[in-house]
Amino acid sequence: MEFKTQKGDLSRTLDLVLNIVPPKTTLPVLSNLLLDVKTDSICVVSTDLDTTVTTTLKGEVIREGMITLPARRLNEIIHHAGDDEIHFSLEDETVVRIVCGSTDCRLPGILEEEFPKIPSIQTKERLQLPAGMLRRMVAKTAFAVSKDETRPALNGIFWRIEPRRMEMVCTDGYRLARMERTGEFPVKGKKEFLVSPKALNQMAHLAEDSDEMVDIRVDNNYLVFSCAGTVVYSRLLEGPFPRYEQVIPKDNRKELITRRDRLMQSCRRVAIFSDSLTHQVQLSVKKNELVLKSNTPDVGEATDRVEAEYSEDEMDIGYNATYLADILKHIDGDMAKFRLDSPIKAGIIEPVEQEKDENYFCLLMPLRLAE
Amino acid sequence: MAQPVIHVLPELVASRIAAGEVVERPASVVKELIENALDAGATQIEIAVEESGIRAIRVADDGCGMGAEDARLAFERHATSKIESAEQLESLGTFGFRGEALPSIASVSDVTLLTSDGRGEGMEITLRGGNFESEGMRSRTRGTTIEVRNLFHNTPARRKFLKSEQAEERQIRRAVMAHAFAQVKVAFRYVKDGDELFRLPATDDLKARIAALYGHDFAATLVPVAGSEKGPVISGYVSNIDAHHGNRARQFFTVNARPVQQPLLAQAVTVAFRDVLPPKRFPALFLSVRIDPSYVDVNIHPTKREVRFSPERTVFSAVQSAVGRAIRSEGSVPSFWRETRPAGRHADRTSHLPTATGPALPLGGEGEGSAAWTYHPRTDADRRDGIRAQNVAAPGTAPGEGERWIDRLDLGNILQVGLTFLVAAGPRGIVVVDQHTAHERILFEEVRRAIAGSSGASQQLLLPETIETDPETITVVEEYAETIAAAGFALRPAGPRSVLLEAVPAGIRDAGPSVFLRDFLEGLREEGKGDRSKSRHVAATVACHGAVRAGDSLSPAERAGLFRRLARCEQPLRCPHGRPTFLNLTLGELARRFQRE
């Protein structure tokens, strides 16, 4: 195996594959990148077994061959390389000589047979979507994904595609974020799958330009994105995702509209005095006013007020301040709308003005206030 | 006419049968004889045994003794000087009352009694296997000596069931010690096969007696217990939370000065120590319960080994709260702080320790200046780590008298080591805190307080979970409905084998709601006795699930916060499962490590 490449090209390639490399692993070869050099292409692969990324590297191939090299060390070498042209050559079975300007180094690797096989996918059906749209949908929902590993179904983004609409939903059981997009989607029937946020983020990373199209294929085990020469294979997560439609309240008729940034700031100020475990703040919903309160023994108490449009019954609702601020951060526009029912029912929070073809909202479960 | 089958047993046979109840083993002989001596008002008692009491037991006292007539009567069954009527059984002031001991002992051994009431010569009576053999006058100062030889020589079956010589001797020694702790004003001497094992001078101070028997190192690990709620007066000592033991050998109870083995009392102490000791470790304790004799029934067992209280609950909770208070006041302060208390106050507390007797003189150790320092014995963990923990059993130095111990730590520069331990510089060394156990303790107390004030916040679930379980657990859910709700769970029955979980206690960090609920119910099922333990269990479960783990990175502010919150805990030095939260590497220890001595 022997090839020449440019520092800039290699650097961009490493950017695409490096964040899949697991920081700690019991399988040493996963810390390595696979270099697959053929007469007409140089392919670079990284995997954590659940997500695999393959991309191509521009370069001049001198001899075919394969080897795996430690990803982070390789990245350091390239980062500090003193010249643009870098020359790789396999010296014996596993040692790669890297020559760049005045530098001459030898980097031991691991045989390529130990590297996991790239998944093969059994489907003909493919779908193309603009990268920008996907990126936005992921950004609006992925924050609500559960980190509780005991509930794997909540660790992913639920993605449903139908001919006229598409949605992504995430929940951790205490809050939920849902983004729906209407349009024309070339699928037959209804497609549903549960994808790891890591893979979707990686995909969002691929396209430099929002208008670029991402090619999507899916079978029973893998979802595959490809865009601009890079392919992301993502193992689908085990469902089933909860039947979330059933928990979306339909009768939340008490509407409150307030300045989103004011409420977010107020929430953060009052949260300083909340319990470090529960982060509980109390929202007193009053005529044309929201009063936020928190009170923790030994910590202190705080009250803050925010103007709001509201004309229904007054009530006190407890929320986890971190969750509330998180949601407000993801709502677009100046004004946020709350649709409420009672202090123990889910509250709906959404932008007052939805973007074109979009329907976005978050659900937040209250904390039951102590008597 | 046939010979009648049933006949009245000859008196000797009857005596031997009765003896079986009172005289189980050599130790019971020793116990009966010591109690007789105490009832006679002895101020000095000497106990000598040969071949673990089988060959000979000799108990000599300086009590009131007996005149010649009384001495002869002493071996008659139910002859006693101690009570006269059945009514007096209600309010016993003496150890004996059944009038069984001497005749029972005499029936299974050879006994020589030498006694004098101080008027004229003494009387000596000898019996063999319960039969009168001889009597005569011999000189003796006031008091009584009883020598029991060839115990069980005529009841081979009993003899066969005795344990090894060492085991029997241990029992004897324990009986002597139990009385020695119960009667500190009486001097005791114990001789085994001609060797004096201990000599305990009369004293006013239980701790001095404990020190005389077990050494000053051990006595220094004790904290005083005192309490008198709702009747029973509890006093004595328990070991501090660092000085636990592998068994209950150093647990002694007395009820109205009578040594007893009392599962009830042991249980009360266990409850008090529950969330500060590791599993299968036991405190040492020397506890005295004083209670109106009419509330105690000692006549439930011929050997009076156990007593019965009415009402039991009162005594139980009195012991539990007195012991709990003692370990809280002591266990709430890190050892470096106890050691840096002003020397004057310290001296006051230790001055009553006698210095003339005892195997070791641990005071003023390691050249650490004016404060009196005492080192308690190493625990297993210390030994493993090669770290010698320091401790002084200076009681009652709870924080809150102006400066607090936390104020002396450099909280601005706490290091996190291995993402597990927090290290702060203290006034006399280095303090190391385990972030997980410390946080568990903090959460445990906070949640327990929250439940006590029923302000357990509850997180509603977006996706209520149906949890399949067994009918037994469903029963638990119904039985503990209130506790479960107080903890912050909202549960609804959803069939004979499932419940619907709609809300969980707010703030659980890394377990799913159903995992959390299962743990919680499991805990309730295992230990759901008494309201306190229920809320305690809730607290421990929440604490364990909410606590930061080893491996979690903490910011400098979080580290300091952890120390501050720990300092607010009632029992900051142990996690709810009894593991330590706190380690103090003292200047002395550091100096030793660097060979600066």
Side-chain angles (χ1 to χ4, degrees):
Chain A
M1 183 211 76
E2 191 173 353
F3 66 93
K4 283 185 197 162
T5 185
Q6 298 295 307
K7 177 177 172 176
D9 292 336
L10 186 48
S11 197
R12 265 190 299 281
T13 299
L14 289 177
D15 262 0
L16 291 173
V17 295
L18 216 56
N19 49 4
I20 295 299
V21 177
K24 282 178 218 156
T25 172
T26 49
L27 194 59
V29 77
L30 296 187
S31 304
N32 285 14
L33 301 176
L34 173 68
L35 301 180
D36 182 359
V37 181
K38 296 202 169 71
T39 42
D40 56 345
S41 71
I42 306 168
C43 183
V44 183
V45 185
S46 70
T47 183
D48 66 358
L49 297 178
D50 287 329
T51 306
T52 303
V53 179
T54 73
T55 186
T56 50
L57 170 66
K58 278 188 216 154
E60 179 191 333
V61 176
I62 301 162
R63 204 158 15 108
E64 290 189 343
M66 286 165 113
I67 188 67
T68 77
L69 289 177
R72 289 181 216 288
R73 189 154 301 133
L74 183 62
N75 191 43
E76 274 183 76
I77 294 169
I78 305 314
H79 186 76
H80 294 289
D83 195 67
D84 272 346
E85 192 177 81
I86 306 174
H87 187 127
F88 288 78
S89 56
L90 188 61
E91 283 212 327
D92 59 21
E93 254 198 344
T94 56
V95 177
V96 173
R97 181 178 180 199
I98 303 170
V99 179
C100 174
S102 56
T103 319
D104 187 349
C105 50
R106 281 172 183 77
L107 184 62
I110 300 177
L111 282 180
E112 79 283 355
E113 355 178 314
E114 294 187 30
F115 199 82
K117 294 280 162 284
I118 294 169
S120 64
I121 182 154
Q122 322 285 335
T123 180
K124 293 254 164 357
E125 198 176 359
R126 46 178 64 203
L127 171 69
Q128 293 207 319
L129 293 170
M133 181 205 285
L134 290 175
R135 199 181 294 163
R136 178 172 163 81
M137 291 182 78
V138 173
K140 291 288 175 196
T141 52
F143 73 95
V145 162
S146 169
K147 288 169 187 70
D148 171 12
E149 287 173 7
T150 62
R151 297 207 286 173
L154 300 187
N155 294 155
I157 299 177
F158 176 75
W159 189 2
R160 175 188 284 159
I161 310 173
E162 292 172 44
R164 312 209 70 103
R165 57 187 281 279
M166 172 166 86
E167 64 180 338
M168 285 191 190
V169 186
C170 298
T171 180
D172 64 0
Y174 309 120
R175 56 196 166 151
L176 176 147
R178 174 179 175 274
M179 169 69 103
E180 187 189 42
R181 178 94 200 194
T182 48
E184 298 282 338
F185 304 102
V187 287
K188 294 192 198 87
K190 189 159 73 173
K191 300 272 179 237
E192 288 178 354
F193 27 83
L194 199 55
V195 200
S196 97
K198 190 176 174 182
L200 279 172
N201 279 322
Q202 181 70 19
M203 183 275 303
H205 202 75
L206 294 184
E208 280 169 25
D209 185 354
S210 302
D211 293 333
E212 217 169 322
M213 296 304 270
V214 178
D215 186 77
I216 298 164
R217 284 176 296 154
V218 64
D219 71 359
N220 290 333
N221 299 312
Y222 282 92
L223 180 68
V224 184
F225 311 102
S226 39
C227 180
T230 303
V231 186
V232 180
Y233 299 81
S234 173
R235 190 194 296 280
L236 293 175
L237 301 181
E238 295 269 335
F241 193 73
R243 303 175 65 179
Y244 71 93
E245 296 94 333
Q246 297 178 347
V247 301
I248 297 172
K250 298 187 175 48
D251 311 318
N252 281 14
R253 298 212 168 78
K254 298 173 182 167
E255 292 196 355
L256 177 146
I257 292 176
T258 185
R259 284 280 301 270
R260 184 181 65 95
D261 54 346
R262 294 259 170 90
L263 179 57
M264 195 155 74
Q265 288 155 6
S266 168
C267 180
R268 288 183 173 144
R269 282 193 290 264
V270 171
I272 298 169
F273 293 88
S274 69
D275 184 293
S276 60
L277 205 57
T278 66
H279 304 289
Q280 176 174 322
V281 295
Q282 179 188 326
L283 266 70
S284 296
V285 184
K286 298 182 190 297
K287 298 276 176 255
N288 298 323
E289 188 180 49
L290 255 177
V291 181
L292 284 80
K293 265 187 233 163
S294 103
N295 177 355
T296 310
D298 301 335
V299 177
E301 57 174 281
T303 308
D304 208 65
R305 288 161 196 280
V306 185
E307 279 179 35
E309 290 172 33
Y310 184 71
S311 53
E312 306 283 338
D313 300 343
E314 301 194 344
M315 59 184 166
D316 295 341
I317 312 174
Y319 284 122
N320 178 323
T322 313
Y323 290 170
L324 180 58
D326 233 8
I327 288 174
L328 290 170
K329 197 168 77 185
H330 287 90
I331 302 275
D332 285 332
D334 290 342
M335 307 299 279
K337 188 202 287 179
F338 284 67
R339 288 193 281 137
L340 306 170
D341 180 54
S342 84
I344 58 161
K345 292 272 179 59
I348 297 174
I349 306 165
E350 60 193 10
V352 168
E353 285 177 32
Q354 299 278 4
E355 299 285 318
K356 183 172 175 287
D357 297 332
E358 270 186 13
N359 180 9
Y360 178 58
F361 68 83
C362 295
L363 284 188
L364 181 56
M365 288 309 285
L367 289 167
R368 195 180 58 202
L369 293 169
E371 320 284 287
Chain B
M1 210 173 141
Q3 191 77 5
V5 177
I6 294 180
H7 55 94
V8 174
L9 287 173
E11 177 155 357
L12 255 180
V13 179
S15 292
R16 277 182 205 160
I17 292 170
E21 291 177 18
V22 181
V23 188
E24 290 174 323
R25 52 169 27 102
S28 23
V29 174
V30 171
K31 169 188 165 297
E32 295 295 339
L33 296 180
I34 291 175
E35 289 182 355
N36 279 349
L38 290 170
D39 282 343
T43 63
Q44 296 185 34
I45 302 176
E46 182 178 312
I47 301 96
V49 298
E50 290 171 28
E51 290 175 15
S52 67
I54 301 294
R55 188 181 170 86
I57 296 169
R58 190 169 49 253
V59 175
D61 67 60
D62 62 348
C64 62
M66 290 178 274
E69 275 310 300
D70 285 343
R72 286 187 199 102
L73 264 176
F75 290 99
E76 298 290 323
R77 183 159 298 274
H78 302 302
T80 182
S81 59
K82 296 173 184 178
I83 60 169
E84 287 169 2
S85 64
E87 285 75 54
Q88 285 178 333
L89 277 175
E90 297 293 307
S91 53
L92 283 165
T94 55
F95 289 104
F97 53 83
R98 295 162 73 113
E100 275 181 337
L102 273 183
S104 297
I105 294 167
S107 70
V108 293
S109 64
D110 303 335
V111 175
T112 305
L113 168 76
L114 173 59
T115 183
S116 162
D117 59 6
R119 288 176 290 231
E121 273 200 297
M123 170 79 163
E124 188 177 67
I125 298 175
T126 305
L127 294 91
R128 277 187 172 277
N131 294 314
F132 177 82
E133 188 162 287
S134 68
E135 69 169 68
M137 305 303 272
R138 267 185 65 187
S139 75
R140 197 208 189 279
T141 53
R142 200 182 80 122
T144 304
T145 305
I146 292 186
E147 186 170 85
V148 177
R149 306 190 74 88
N150 304 325
L151 188 60
F152 302 134
H153 69 88
N154 52 0
T155 51
R158 173 71 66 181
R159 195 160 186 160
K160 215 159 68 186
F161 278 102
L162 291 180
K163 293 183 179 147
S164 72
E165 233 178 75
Q166 288 90 333
E168 293 297 336
E169 196 275 330
R170 251 198 322 273
Q171 298 257 6
I172 294 173
R173 205 183 325 154
R174 185 170 169 94
V176 176
M177 291 196 308
H179 281 285
F181 292 130
Q183 305 285 340
V184 295
K185 288 192 168 68
V186 178
F188 282 82
R189 179 168 180 257
Y190 176 61
V191 178
K192 177 197 166 209
D193 297 322
D195 298 330
E196 180 182 284
L197 287 196
F198 53 81
R199 177 198 286 272
L200 306 170
T203 173
D204 286 329
D205 179 18
L206 173 59
K207 196 164 176 179
R209 172 140 292 180
I210 297 167
L213 256 169
Y214 287 134
H216 288 276
D217 277 351
F218 172 76
T221 66
L222 299 176
V223 288
V225 177
S228 57
E229 283 161 51
K230 300 175 198 149
V233 180
I234 316 295
S235 64
Y237 291 91
V238 295
S239 53
N240 70 37
I241 58 172
D242 296 319
H244 37 81
H245 302 268
N247 56 42
R248 298 182 194 266
R250 292 188 181 187
Q251 298 196 344
F252 292 91
F253 292 102
T254 65
V255 172
N256 292 345
R258 177 190 300 282
V260 291
Q261 292 172 6
Q262 201 68 16
L264 173 77
L265 296 178
Q267 183 60 28
V269 173
T270 308
V271 168
F273 269 95
R274 185 165 46 190
D275 52 273
V276 294
L277 285 193
K280 305 219 167 87
R281 301 292 295 177
F282 304 94
L285 53 96
F286 306 87
L287 275 195
S288 139
V289 179
R290 292 217 155 262
I291 183 169
D292 184 332
S294 58
Y295 291 127
V296 189
D297 185 358
V298 291
N299 197 14
I300 58 169
H301 193 283
T303 65
K304 304 160 196 142
R305 198 166 48 197
E306 284 184 29
V307 297
R308 184 176 293 147
F309 300 107
S310 79
E312 296 213 317
R313 187 74 218 171
T314 314
V315 179
F316 186 94
S317 62
V319 169
Q320 184 192 334
S321 69
V323 171
R325 230 179 1 254
I327 54 178
R328 264 200 303 286
S329 69
E330 186 271 346
S332 60
V333 193
S335 54
F336 73 79
W337 190 241
R338 281 174 253 156
E339 284 147 8
T340 51
R341 306 302 291 176
R345 295 191 42 178
H346 206 121
D348 283 346
R349 277 192 301 271
T350 49
S351 61
H352 58 259
L353 279 177
T355 50
T357 56
L361 187 64
L363 299 178
E366 322 289 327
E368 286 291 345
S370 59
W373 289 43
T374 307
Y375 292 84
H376 73 82
R378 294 174 184 210
T379 64
D380 289 341
D382 291 336
R383 212 172 279 127
R384 214 171 30 246
D385 298 340
I387 292 165
R388 197 169 184 189
Q390 278 185 331
N391 212 337
V392 163
T397 48
E401 308 168 16
E403 197 187 15
R404 299 165 309 148
W405 60 267
I406 188 78
D407 300 332
R408 289 282 199 94
L409 297 178
D410 181 2
L411 297 181
N413 294 297
I414 300 171
L415 301 177
Q416 191 182 21
V417 180
L419 294 180
T420 305
F421 302 107
L422 304 180
V423 181
R428 297 179 77 98
I430 298 166
V431 167
V432 185
V433 160
D434 178 323
Q435 65 187 38
H436 176 68
T437 57
H439 199 208
E440 259 190 287
R441 163 55 65 180
I442 293 165
L443 295 180
F444 175 66
E445 295 205 1
E446 287 177 351
V447 175
R448 194 161 57 170
R449 263 200 299 278
I451 292 170
S454 72
S455 63
S458 178
Q459 169 73 62
Q460 301 286 319
L461 297 182
L462 181 60
L463 311 161
E465 282 192 62
T466 306
I467 295 173
E468 297 291 325
T469 182
D470 50 283
E472 199 186 340
T473 305
I474 301 286
T475 322
V476 173
V477 169
E478 284 163 5
E479 194 177 340
Y480 295 108
E482 257 176 56
T483 311
I484 292 169
F489 288 105
L491 275 186
R492 269 197 302 162
R497 292 177 165 273
S498 55
V499 287
L500 187 69
L501 177 60
E502 295 180 319
V504 292
I508 57 170
R509 253 173 52 120
D510 52 10
S514 57
V515 176
F516 188 43
L517 178 73
R518 272 179 226 275
D519 281 5
F520 179 73
L521 293 180
E522 193 57 35
L524 279 185
R525 200 159 75 177
E526 271 172 28
E527 84 165 83
K529 288 189 193 120
D531 286 326
R532 277 182 54 126
S533 71
K534 277 187 264 171
S535 67
R536 186 192 153 275
H537 183 77
V538 178
T541 314
V542 174
C544 197
H545 284 279
V548 297
R549 307 265 166 208
D552 289 356
S553 168
L554 300 182
S555 71
E558 287 176 305
R559 298 171 201 169
L562 198 76
F563 270 81
R564 284 203 197 87
R565 286 162 75 199
L566 187 61
R568 281 199 294 270
C569 288
E570 279 186 357
Q571 194 68 268
L573 305 186
R574 287 287 182 276
C575 85
H577 310 102
R579 281 160 60 202
T581 59
F582 209 95
L583 172 75
N584 192 20
L585 279 178
T586 63
L587 286 178
E589 169 67 21
L590 292 173
R592 235 183 342 271
R593 291 273 167 137
F594 286 102
Q595 302 177 4
R596 287 183 72 97
E597 285 165 274

